[in-house]
Each structure stands twice: as C-alpha cells, then as structure tokens.
Amino acid sequence: MTYGGKKLFLALSWFAFFIVLSIIILSIYLVTPRFAELHRRLPLLLWVLAGIVILAVGGGLLLISITALTGFDVLYPHGGEPITMRVLFPVVLTLGQLFGFGKDRLRDAFVDTNNALLWAQRKRFSAGKVLILLPHCLQHHDCEWRITFDIANCKRCGKCDIAALAEVADRYGIEVRVATGGTLARKVVSDFKPTIIVAVACGRDLSAGIIDSHPIPVFGIPNIRPNGPCFDTKVEVERVEEVLRELLFEPVRQSQLAEAPIRTKTGSEKTQGNAVG
Ligand code: SF4
C-alpha cells in the first residue's frame, strides 16, 4: 500500500514543531533576565520545563514519523497518537494553506498519514466488529432501490460499485452501511459500536470522520470523483478488500477468492463465480 500524502503531512508537522520550538526558545531567552531577578534558579526551572514539553512533543512526532514512513510500529502502547494527530490536523491545515496547498490535498494527506499509522498498528486492533461505511454518492444516480437502510436492497446490477462492495461484505461476513451524511454516519457508528471502521468518502468527510470517531480507528479510503463531488462517485473495491483481508488476518489468494463461498444476507451460500446478477 502506498500513502503519498503522508510525507507532506509529516513535513508540515515538523515545520510547525520547529516554529513553535523557536518561539518557545526565543520567549524564554527574552524573559530570562527578568526571571533571574525574581529568583536565580527560576530561568533554569523554565528551561527544564520547556525541555520536557519539547522532548515529549518532538518525541511523539518522531515516533509517529518513523511508524508512518517505515510501517514499523514503534508507537507508545497507550494509544496517544490519535490525540497527537487530532492536534496536528488543524495546525497542518492552517500552515499548509499559508504555503499554498489546497484544503483537499491537506485533508487527503491527513487521511494518508492516519492510514499509514493504522496499517502499521493493525495487529493491535480487535477485528471483532468491523463496519464498512459508504457514502450515498456511490450509488448510481438513477437507481431506484433504497440502500440507505439496508444494502441488501441493492439488486447488484453492476451499474455502480455498491454491487461489488456488497459482495465483498458478504464474503467476509461484515456489516456494511450507506450514510447520506455526517449525522447519519455518526448515528450508525453509535448504534453499531464497531471496533474498527473502513470508511469510503471524500477527504473532507474522511478527515472529519476520523476525528469524530475517536477512539474507534477509522481506515479511510478516498472515493474517486469522475463526475465531480457527490455524484456517481466510485471506489477502488480491491483496495477495500485488501484492507479487510489484513484487518481480519485472513490472507486469501485470488485463486482462493474465486472459490470462496459468499455468505448472503439470507444465509445461503454461493461461490464468487455466480454472485453477480
Ligand atoms: S449496483 Fe445496486 S445500488 Fe448500484 S445501481 Fe445497481 S441496484 Fe442500484
């Protein structure tokens, strides 16, 4: 898997860190004479406190960077990185725009970094209740079937990617829901209480969902928008399946997939070869 935007996100995060670091050092340097007048040990105490904060933040960012870039999980086990990412996101969004990067690119970069961290940590998560969350704009615009309440209503005609996604969900026995917006998506998450979410959406909705769903890990897969935003969008179904395979610790080769039984909503089983239609 590749996550191109993570380098941009991490570069901006480090830049923001060094700006804050410079401000802290300059501020302490300027107030040191005044503090020394109050007590001769006060400047030393100030430097020590600043050093602890800088080491904690810089150390956390270093661990996030190593994990995201190498895929090797060196993150602290208490799960502090989502909080760090939540703090970093608005900082990077503001700083990135000052450098001329568009909001969409910065949001995608955040999602990429989040995915890279989750990917490195995936063996830590419980795959007991995986939820696939899809946006309504994936459904073909003239489809008459109501899939927001139950994706089983999809007739799998193949005009949009919902058919292939429903089949993937059946094959792995995973719950899949279609949400028409952020409010419904939050309700689905709150009702279903998943242990991990695989979400398909645009960068804006994914970044908001990743932050809102904390502490539930959200693996974000950006949709493809050949017809503009929110209209007949598409998704790389293979990528969704690749993520599920890894999350469920079920490495399945393509040849095996072809013969793998599909568990339908009605409980009957059929093979992939006769699934469509
Ligand atoms: S695949 Fe399903 S959701 Fe898409 S157009 Fe056909 S019936 Fe509608």
Side-chain angles (χ1 to χ4, degrees), residues 24-269:
I24 289 175
I25 290 175
L26 186 66
S27 306
I28 296 179
Y29 178 75
L30 290 175
V31 299
T32 292
R34 185 85 185 103
F35 274 56
E37 282 174 18
L38 297 172
H39 194 286
R40 67 186 176 86
R41 289 191 189 275
L42 216 45
L44 179 65
L45 183 66
L46 211 54
W47 282 111
V48 169
L49 284 176
I52 291 170
V53 172
I54 289 164
L55 273 178
V57 177
L61 190 52
L62 182 67
L63 294 179
I64 283 177
S65 303
I66 293 171
T67 302
L69 292 173
T70 66
F72 187 68
D73 183 9
V74 294
L75 284 165
Y76 27 96
H78 59 65
E81 69 286 350
I83 297 163
T84 312
M85 290 289 287
R86 280 155 66 104
V87 173
L88 282 175
F89 178 52
V91 175
V92 167
L93 203 59
T94 307
L95 191 65
Q97 285 180 89
L98 288 177
F99 280 112
F101 292 103
K103 269 189 183 177
D104 284 347
R105 185 159 175 205
L106 294 165
R107 285 173 179 137
D108 286 348
F110 170 71
V111 174
D112 272 352
T113 313
N114 168 77
N115 287 354
L117 293 175
L118 291 190
W119 196 251
Q121 297 177 289
R122 62 193 181 279
K123 299 237 166 13
R124 289 194 204 179
F125 303 129
S126 160
K129 267 182 114 180
V130 179
L131 172 68
I132 302 178
L133 201 51
L134 305 174
H136 190 225
C137 58
L138 276 180
Q139 185 179 25
H140 195 269
H141 69 275
D142 67 4
C143 176
E144 61 185 291
W145 304 104
R146 194 159 185 186
I147 58 167
T148 41
F149 289 104
D150 190 352
I151 199 169
N153 290 332
C154 165
K155 301 301 170 203
R156 307 194 183 185
C157 70
K159 266 207 273 185
C160 68
D161 288 335
I162 295 287
L165 289 165
E167 281 169 19
V168 168
D170 279 350
R171 189 181 307 129
Y172 289 89
I174 286 174
E175 195 67 27
V176 55
R177 300 284 174 85
V178 179
T180 48
T183 307
L184 188 57
R186 276 189 288 277
K187 184 171 179 338
V188 167
V189 171
S190 133
D191 290 349
F192 185 67
K193 299 189 178 25
T195 54
I196 188 159
I197 301 168
V198 178
V200 176
C202 60
R204 187 193 63 182
D205 288 355
L206 283 179
S207 50
I210 288 166
I211 288 170
D212 288 352
S213 303
H214 175 77
I216 302 168
V218 179
F219 197 99
I221 300 178
N223 59 8
I224 304 162
R225 287 155 281 176
N227 306 298
C230 311
F231 187 77
D232 285 353
T233 58
K234 298 189 171 304
V235 65
E236 279 180 61
V237 179
E238 307 75 36
R239 196 169 171 210
V240 175
E241 186 159 6
E242 185 186 0
V243 172
L244 290 175
R245 268 207 299 270
E246 281 292 334
L247 291 178
L248 298 171
F249 315 124
E250 243 185 309
V252 184
R253 283 194 223 101
Q254 286 305 317
S255 57
Q256 291 172 299
L257 276 175
E259 298 305 321
I262 295 171
R263 290 188 294 279
T264 65
K265 295 283 180 192
T266 56
S268 62
E269 288 193 349

